[in-house]
């Protein structure tokens, strides 16, 4: 019984092909027309977004440079840079115990 219904439905589906083909072509053309302007707007939106990202990056770079200059001005000038955990030469005579 199931096979008989399935065969009948398949024949009916194949019979509607001449009707479905033009409808599907019109639907696909409609979708293509609808999506085409979106791609152009998406490109423009991406360009605007990238402009904002570049501006923010430049602003942050300037801020980092100004912070580095402020740190350099506040720290005393040393010939050798200090290493974390290193004992200063004048403090070597201090020992625990």
């Amino acid at each position: 019984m199931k096979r008989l219904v399935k065969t009948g439905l398949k024949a009916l589906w194949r019979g509607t092909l001449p009707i479905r083909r033009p409808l599907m072509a019109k639907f696909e053309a409609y979708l293509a027309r609808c999506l085409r302007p979106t791609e152009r707007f998406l490109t423009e939106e991406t360009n605007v977004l990238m402009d904002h990202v570049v501006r923010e990056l430049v602003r942050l770079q300037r801020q980092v440079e100004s912070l580095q200059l402020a740190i350099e001005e506040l720290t005393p000038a040393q010939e050798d840079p200090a290493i974390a955990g290193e004992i200063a030469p004048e403090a070597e005579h201090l020992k625990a115990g």
Side-chain angles (χ1 to χ4, degrees):
M1 178 70 178
K2 184 178 178 182
R3 186 171 46 183
L4 184 62
V5 172
K6 200 173 186 181
T7 305
L9 287 176
K10 281 186 180 181
L12 183 64
W13 179 253
R14 281 189 226 117
T16 61
L17 183 62
I19 297 170
R20 283 186 291 131
R21 188 178 298 141
L23 290 176
M24 290 302 293
K26 286 182 181 181
F27 181 67
E28 288 175 1
Y30 172 74
L31 283 179
R33 284 193 314 264
C34 289
L35 294 176
R36 209 171 292 134
T38 305
E39 294 169 355
R40 183 177 47 117
F41 291 132
L42 184 63
T43 305
E44 292 173 4
E45 187 176 314
T46 303
N47 288 339
V48 170
L49 179 66
M50 290 303 293
D51 287 343
H52 287 294
V53 169
V54 168
R55 286 184 192 140
E56 183 66 16
L57 180 63
V58 169
R59 186 188 69 79
L60 290 173
Q61 285 176 339
R62 288 180 182 166
Q63 190 174 9
V64 167
E65 287 175 0
S66 67
L67 289 172
Q68 284 177 340
L69 288 174
I71 289 173
E72 288 174 2
E73 288 175 0
L74 292 175
T75 56
Q78 296 179 354
E79 292 179 14
D80 296 327
I83 298 174
E86 186 177 278
I87 299 174
E90 58 271 357
E92 286 184 11
H93 65 280
L94 299 176
K95 293 185 180 177

